[in-house]
Amino acid sequence: IAGITQAPTSQILAAGRRMTLRCTQDMRHNAMYWYRQDLGLGLRLIHYSNTAGTTGKGEVPDGYSVSRANTDDFPLTLASAVPSQTSVYFCASSGTSGAYNEQFFGPGTRLTVL
Amino acid sequence: GQNIDQPTEMTATEGAIVQINCTYQTSGFNGLFWYQQHAGEAPTFLSYNVLDGLEEKGRFSSFLSRSKGYSYLLLKELQMKDSASYLCAVKDSNYQLIWGAGTKLIIKP
């Protein structure tokens, strides 16, 4: 593994189904983030984790949950998917959550909820 | 509320220079980032400014004026591969990135 990986690459999901998007990084970064990107809107933060064992809510957390059991993995779960959750989801990580720390992004997961 | 404004789309000619502006209103300021995003791909880091002035990095330069809440990204000697979206983001008082919607740059030969 080099950098950040996400799985699946894309998914079509029926409304009401549960779905977990996976994210793994091998850079030993403390901070990790989940964003969604929708046409015409900037990246919006869903949840974040400043270090293993801690998580926090971003701008648009409703309908999503995360866990951070270890440094490398940061899964995002949609408990009961709705069509408005159709989006491209990016996982990112940075060394710390401080001022200058560029975020490195995974390749994204394109999710369609029907 | 927090707000980042950028033009939606710009067009420029190969070999020319283009300036992409970004204005921001955020609760606190801990630096401004520019990212490049090619269609269907992830954003990649271009530059970071935290003090006023110009930061130059090869063909790309980024400028910041904190008193005006303003930044620009300057791309010189444009190449076709520079066709992409350019995202402006500000780190707020909680050290979270607030993102603009991005500027789609179209390069014509």
Side-chain angles (χ1 to χ4, degrees):
Chain A
I1 298 176
I4 301 181
T5 58
Q6 292 185 235
T9 303
S10 65
Q11 182 76 43
I12 299 174
L13 190 66
R17 297 296 295 268
R18 180 183 178 90
M19 175 76 190
T20 295
L21 308 185
R22 299 185 297 280
C23 174
T24 299
Q25 53 103 359
D26 66 353
M27 297 178 283
R28 309 304 295 170
H29 283 170
N30 283 318
M32 297 188 75
Y33 313 86
W34 273 106
Y35 292 97
R36 59 178 290 172
Q37 188 174 41
D38 302 290
L39 199 62
L41 298 177
L43 288 160
R44 290 183 292 170
L45 183 65
I46 304 171
H47 284 286
Y48 65 93
S49 169
N50 289 334
T51 190
T54 69
T55 62
K57 293 182 179 180
E59 179 187 355
V60 288
D62 294 343
Y64 306 94
S65 64
V66 292
S67 61
R68 187 87 185 277
N70 56 60
T71 298
D72 299 345
D73 301 301
F74 191 44
L76 176 74
T77 297
L78 289 69
S80 179
V82 295
S84 62
Q85 292 178 311
T86 294
S87 187
V88 180
Y89 291 86
F90 286 104
C91 178
S93 71
S94 63
T96 69
S97 56
Y100 173 63
N101 270 286
E102 64 178 280
Q103 292 185 9
F104 295 84
F105 284 80
T109 294
R110 186 174 296 275
L111 182 67
T112 302
V113 182
L114 301 175
Chain B
Q2 308 203 90
N3 197 48
I4 311 282
D5 285 318
Q6 316 177 224
T8 302
E9 186 174 297
M10 298 181 70
T11 302
T13 303
E14 190 177 16
I17 299 173
V18 71
Q19 177 176 310
I20 302 174
N21 295 326
C22 170
T23 58
Y24 63 89
Q25 289 179 303
T26 56
S27 56
F29 180 84
N30 281 298
L32 185 144
F33 293 77
W34 284 96
Y35 280 75
Q36 181 189 59
Q37 185 178 24
H38 285 100
E41 297 183 7
T44 55
F45 170 76
L46 285 178
S47 69
Y48 171 75
N49 294 68
V50 67
L51 299 176
D52 290 352
L54 189 69
E55 293 281 343
E56 297 187 77
K57 198 185 279 188
R59 294 190 299 115
F60 292 7
S61 302
S62 56
F63 172 82
L64 175 67
S65 169
R66 288 172 297 171
S67 62
K68 296 182 179 178
Y70 168 71
S71 173
Y72 68 72
L73 180 69
L74 192 71
L75 290 74
K76 303 176 186 174
E77 300 169 16
L78 286 170
Q79 302 175 9
M80 297 304 292
K81 68 178 182 179
D82 297 330
S83 293
S85 289
Y86 291 86
L87 315 181
C88 175
V90 172
K91 203 160 249 194
D92 69 8
S93 56
N94 294 318
Y95 295 97
Q96 300 298 347
L97 278 176
I98 308 301
W99 295 83
T103 298
K104 182 178 181 180
L105 179 62
I106 299 167
I107 310 296
K108 296 187 173 180

